Amino acid sequence: MDHLSIADVLAEVAVLVKPHFGKGRPADYIPQLAGVPPTRFGMAVRLVSGEEAVVGDADEGFSVQSITKIFSLGLALNRFGDEVWTRVGKEPSGTPFNHLSQLEAEEGVPRNPFINAGAMAVCDQLMDVFNDPPALVRGFAGFLAGEKVEIDETVAASELANAWQNRAIANLMRGKGTINHDPEAVVAAYCRQCALTMSCRQLARAMLPLAAGGFSPIVEETIFPERLTRRLNALLLTCGIYDSVGSFAYRVGLPAKSGVGGGIVAIVPGKAAIAVWSPELDRFGTSVVGTVALERFSQLTNCSVL
C-alpha cells in the first residue's frame, strides 16, 4: 500500500463507484438528513506515515451519526476500563441497530456498544461523571482531527423529535437497571452526540490512532493503550456494520463503522485510516456507494486484514 499513489487509487475509486448511485436512499426517517443531495461522494485517506489524499466532497461536512460511537466508547474505556462491559456486551447483534425485542429477551443488556442500545448505555455511563457527554465527544473528535468541529443543533432537534424507538429502548434499559439516568435525558444526549458534523478529511485524521497502535500523529500523543486499540479494532470488525457485518467483512475485510448520515470509517491497522461519505443507504443503514468505494480501495491496494 505504501508504494502506491493513494491519490491515483482514490481517483480510480471515484470512477468505479459511479454506476452505484441511485441504488439506495438517504435516511429519510430523520427529516434533516432526507434533504441531503444523494449524489454527494467524498473519500479521504490518511496514512500513518503522514501522506494524505482526498477525492470528491471530502471537505464537506456531514452528519457523522453512529460513527460518533467510536469516540464515546473510546472515552468510556479510557475513563472506566473494563467496567464498561458490565453494562454492554461485545457480540454481534444480528439484528437492526434499533432492535427492541432482542434487548428485551436479553434482560436489557445490549449486545455491543455500536448498536443504539449499547451506545446509549455508554452515554449513560459517561453521564455519571460528565455534565455534557455530547460536548465531551465533540471536543474529543475535534482534538483528534486537529481542528474544531461542531454539533448541528438542527439535526439534533430533528432526530430527537423522531426518536420514538430510541425512547422505547432507553425506557426498557432503565426498567432493567442498565442505565441510571432519566431515559429522556439519555436519548437527548445521544441524539446530540450523533448530530456531530465532520468531513471525510477530519474523520480520517481523527481515526488515525486506531491505525497507529493508539498514537495520534496528528496531535503527537498516545490516545489509547495499544492493547485497547487492538480491542477497539476487533469490535469494529465484528460489530461495526450492524446486521450486515459479515457481508461487509467478506467484501471489504477491514474494521469499520458506519453511520446513517452516509459515512463509513475503516482502519488498515499499522497503515491508514479511511473515511468515505455518500448519503444513499442500503436496507441495513450503511452507505451503498461508500461500501463499494471501500471494497474497490481494498482490492486495489490489497490492504484487507482478512
Side-chain angles (χ1 to χ4, degrees):
M1 180 174 174
D2 304 70
H3 303 293
L4 298 172
S5 166
I6 301 301
D8 288 344
V9 171
L10 290 188
E12 185 169 350
V13 167
V15 173
L16 293 172
V17 301
K18 287 182 178 179
H20 298 274
F21 286 102
K23 294 184 178 181
R25 65 179 191 178
D28 51 11
Y29 61 91
I30 301 174
Q32 288 298 316
L33 300 186
V36 177
T39 56
R40 288 284 194 268
F41 170 74
M43 192 168 184
V45 178
R46 179 74 181 217
L47 300 184
V48 171
S49 61
E51 183 182 349
E52 184 173 86
V54 300
V55 70
D57 303 306
D59 288 309
E60 181 173 339
F62 64 93
S63 192
V64 177
Q65 294 292 314
S66 286
I67 294 173
T68 61
K69 295 171 183 177
I70 301 175
F71 299 127
S72 59
L73 178 61
L75 286 164
L77 287 169
N78 267 349
R79 175 64 175 80
F80 302 107
D82 286 344
E83 186 183 338
V84 170
W85 308 121
T86 64
R87 300 200 194 191
V88 61
K90 313 180 194 72
E91 299 297 329
S93 66
T95 55
F97 54 82
N98 60 354
H99 202 60
L100 196 61
S101 60
Q102 183 183 67
L103 183 66
E104 184 174 21
E106 297 181 354
E107 295 300 315
V109 179
R111 277 288 182 98
N112 65 70
F114 294 141
I115 56 175
N116 289 11
M120 283 190 280
V122 170
C123 184
D124 178 81
Q125 193 168 30
L126 290 173
M127 290 171 73
D128 287 345
V129 292
F130 299 106
N131 291 328
D132 190 352
L136 182 72
V137 169
R138 179 193 62 203
F140 187 44
F143 170 69
L144 294 178
E147 55 189 84
K148 188 177 181 180
V149 297
E150 296 293 345
I151 290 171
D152 187 324
E153 299 295 350
T154 303
V155 171
S158 175
E159 197 159 349
L160 183 61
N162 294 276
W164 305 115
Q165 188 85 351
N166 283 338
R167 287 183 172 92
I169 289 170
N171 277 284
L172 174 58
M173 289 196 295
R174 183 68 182 92
K176 296 292 186 179
T178 305
I179 64 174
N180 298 324
H181 298 89
D182 174 55
E184 187 65 24
V186 174
V187 173
Y190 172 68
C191 288
R192 285 196 71 237
Q193 170 189 308
C194 287
L196 186 69
T197 295
M198 297 179 73
S199 68
C200 289
R201 190 191 299 266
Q202 290 170 332
L203 273 173
R205 292 175 177 179
M207 294 297 165
L208 203 54
L210 295 181
F215 180 78
S216 170
I218 303 296
V219 299
E220 298 184 336
E221 288 187 25
T222 296
I223 307 301
F224 305 118
E226 187 172 357
R227 180 166 170 259
L228 175 55
T229 304
R230 291 196 303 269
R231 289 181 167 183
L232 284 169
N233 281 328
L235 285 167
L236 289 172
L237 186 64
T238 58
C239 305
I241 314 290
Y242 307 125
D243 46 331
S244 64
V245 66
S247 174
F248 188 92
Y250 183 87
R251 293 175 61 184
V252 178
L254 295 173
K257 182 75 197 79
S258 60
V260 296
I264 310 175
V265 294
I267 306 300
V268 186
K271 294 193 175 182
I274 309 164
V276 61
W277 170 55
S278 188
E280 295 179 323
L281 310 179
D282 63 20
R283 62 190 179 93
F284 301 107
T286 300
S287 173
V288 173
V289 171
T291 299
V292 174
L294 289 168
E295 181 181 19
R296 297 293 183 259
F297 183 89
S298 178
Q299 292 168 348
L300 290 167
T301 59
N302 195 29
C303 68
S304 170
V305 299
L306 300 175

